Amino acid sequence: MSAERLPFMRLQPAEDRPAVEAAIRRVIDRGWFVLGPEVDAFEQAFARLCGTRHAIGVGTGTDAIAIILRGLGIGAGDEVITTPLSAAYSALACMMAGARPVFADLDPERLTLDPAAVEAAITPRTAAILPVHLYGQPADMPAIVTIASRHGIAVVEDCCQAHLATCNGQPVGSFGVAAAYSFYPTKNLGALGDGGAITTSDAALAAKVKRIRNGGQTDRYHHGEMGVNSRLDEMQAAILSARLPFLPGWTQARRIGAAAYRRLLTGAPVVVPPQADPGHVYHLFPVRSPQRDQLQAWLLEQGIETLVHYPVPVHLQQAYLSRIALGAGGLAETEKACGEILSLPMHPHLSDEDAHRVISALLGYPPVAVAHPEKRADP
Ligand SMILES: *Cc1c(COP(=O)(O)O)cnc(C)c1O
C-alpha cells in the first residue's frame, strides 16, 4: 500500500499566515521582547474570549497551573485531587508547587474525573481539585463544583486542551477560581513556541499571579515574595493575538470533523466515547479498541498516522511514583482506557475526504488474509 501519508496534524500556519508574519515583523520593528504591549493586548483579548475578568500570560501551561496553586497558597503538606489520564504535566505542576497529587478514577464514558471518586479521595489535607477537560471534552463541572463547595476546597481548571469549550453552556475556566491554558503549538490555540495563560475573575489572585510570574517583583527591582521566571514573550503574544480571531472558526471546523467521524464510524470495530456536552472542542478524537496496538499498526500501513493520549497513566510514571497518592477505589477505569485509546487525526483542516479515508481504513480492520488476489482466476 503506497497511499499518500495522512498526517496526524499540520502545524504550519495556513490562512492565518499573513497575520502571523505581520505580527512577527511588528515585534521585531518595535524592539521590545518581554512583558510589553503585545502581552497586555493579548491578555485583554484572551480574557474577553474566555469570559473572565483577567488573563495573565505565562511561559507554559504547566507553569500556569503551578503558579495558580502558589497564588492560592497551596504547597507543602497540601493535596490536589486530579486525573491520572492527562499529560503528565498537570501532576508535575502540582509537585512544582510543593503539593502532592492525589489521583481519582475516571468516568469511563466521559474520560474525565468521576465526581464520586473525587469525593471519596478528599482528606483533611485536600486543598484543591484540578479537573482536566481532556481532549476538549468538559469535565462534569456542576458536580465537581458542588463537591468542592461542600468541602470548602478550591477548584482550578486545566483548560490546556479546551480553549473555548463550554459545559452546560458556561465557558470552562469560569467554574473554578482560576484556569490554566497552554499555547504549546499542537493545542487548539497554539503559539510558534511555548506559551501559557492563567485566567481568573478574582482581582487579588490576578495581581498575585502576575507578581509570581515575574520573579515576585512588586516594583522594579523590588521583590516582595519569591516568584518564578515564567513570562509570555512579546513575539508569542503577538502571534497568539494574530491567531485568536481564527479560533472560533477552527473550533467549529473541529466539531464538523468530529461529527463526520461519528457519522461514519457506525459499524467500525471501535468504541467511540460519547460526546457528553455539545461544548466539546475536540482537541483530540480518541476511539477505543481492545486491539489498539494492532489497529494502530494497520492504520499506519494505510498511511494514517495516529497517536495514543496517553499510553501510561500518570500514577504509573516512574518519576512520580514516590510523590503521589491514590484515592480510594482504585484506578481501574483509567488503566483500562490507557490500553484501549487511540487518537485519530484531528485538526481544523481535516477534510471530508480525510475523514472518509480514515474510516474506510478502520472498516477494513481486521484485514482478511488473501494470498495473491491479483492472480485469482476468473470463475
Ligand atoms: C499541554 C498540557 C499541559 C501542559 O502545557 P505546557 O504548555 O506544555 O506546559 C497540561 N495539561 C494538559 C491537559 C495539557 O494538554
Side-chain angles (χ1 to χ4, degrees):
M1 183 69 61
S2 62
E4 200 195 322
R5 204 151 174 101
L6 196 118
F8 186 73
M9 57 167 59
R10 299 179 184 84
L11 294 176
Q12 295 88 344
E15 66 272 28
D16 54 323
R17 190 175 191 118
V20 166
E21 289 181 351
I24 293 171
R25 229 172 299 119
R26 190 169 72 234
V27 173
I28 292 173
D29 289 346
R30 186 184 294 117
W32 186 345
F33 300 107
V34 173
L35 294 187
E38 299 290 349
V39 170
D40 288 344
F42 174 69
E43 287 177 342
Q44 282 178 29
F46 193 64
R48 208 174 312 121
L49 198 66
C50 293
T52 52
R53 276 205 211 111
H54 310 276
I56 299 94
V58 294
T60 66
T62 307
D63 283 350
I65 300 169
I67 292 171
I68 293 168
L69 294 176
R70 285 184 58 166
L72 292 170
I74 295 171
D78 293 324
E79 294 177 351
V80 177
I81 299 172
T82 190
T83 167
L85 184 63
S86 180
Y89 298 88
S90 313
L92 174 62
C94 301
M95 297 187 289
M96 282 163 62
R100 174 184 289 261
V102 175
F103 294 108
D105 209 3
L106 303 175
D107 170 337
E109 301 238 303
R110 211 165 174 131
L111 298 176
T112 55
L113 275 176
D114 173 5
V118 168
E119 186 145 39
I122 291 173
T123 74
R125 289 175 301 281
T126 307
I129 303 171
L130 178 72
V132 178
H133 305 299
L134 194 70
Y135 310 136
Q137 169 124 284
D140 185 352
M141 292 313 295
I144 289 171
V145 166
T146 302
I147 292 166
S149 47
R150 187 154 64 229
H151 294 268
I153 299 166
V155 174
V156 176
E157 295 175 71
D158 180 339
C159 296
C160 291
Q161 303 191 357
H163 313 68
L164 293 194
T166 58
C167 181
N168 290 352
Q170 181 181 335
V172 299
S174 68
F175 288 89
V177 62
Y181 287 86
S182 168
F183 306 120
Y184 183 77
T186 61
K187 305 291 159 108
N188 288 25
L189 177 65
L192 303 189
D194 275 312
I198 294 164
T199 60
T200 182
S201 290
D202 178 327
L205 181 62
K208 179 138 202 218
V209 298
K210 218 165 169 167
R211 288 194 300 272
I212 294 175
R213 77 162 170 194
N214 193 24
Q217 251 195 120
T218 37
D219 271 311
R220 199 171 201 181
Y221 308 128
H222 291 83
H223 296 256
E225 62 197 295
M226 202 183 97
V228 295
N229 185 351
S230 179
R231 303 174 295 220
L232 181 64
D233 67 73
E234 286 283 285
M235 191 75 83
Q236 299 306 337
I239 292 165
L240 289 164
S241 288
R243 291 185 139 183
L244 204 55
F246 294 93
L247 184 59
W250 288 339
T251 303
Q252 194 52 26
R254 286 175 183 273
R255 287 181 174 143
I256 289 170
Y261 271 151
R262 285 189 185 280
R263 209 167 47 243
L264 298 167
L265 273 165
T266 322
V270 292
V271 171
V272 186
Q275 173 181 284
D277 192 296
H280 197 322
V281 292
Y282 292 98
H283 172 59
L284 294 167
F285 192 95
V287 294
R288 297 180 67 155
S289 163
Q291 297 170 50
R292 189 262 316 282
D293 295 341
Q294 297 93 311
L295 187 60
Q296 184 175 34
W298 162 255
L299 289 172
L300 193 59
E301 271 176 49
Q302 319 300 307
I304 293 161
E305 286 178 10
T306 58
L307 290 172
V308 176
H309 300 92
Y310 297 87
V312 181
V314 189
H315 67 282
L316 298 179
Q317 295 290 350
Q318 192 63 36
Y320 296 5
L321 291 176
S322 63
R323 296 188 171 85
I324 55 147
L326 309 183
L331 300 169
E333 294 297 348
T334 301
E335 290 173 15
K336 182 155 185 271
C338 284
E340 295 185 353
I341 44 183
L342 182 66
S343 302
L344 303 183
M346 173 50 75
H347 53 80
H349 302 97
L350 187 84
S351 68
D352 234 30
E353 195 189 330
D354 293 339
H356 272 95
R357 226 186 106 189
V358 174
I359 303 306
S360 49
L362 266 175
L363 291 170
Y365 182 87
V368 184
V370 180
H372 296 287
E374 72 280 13
K375 287 185 189 155
R376 190 180 54 191
D378 284 333

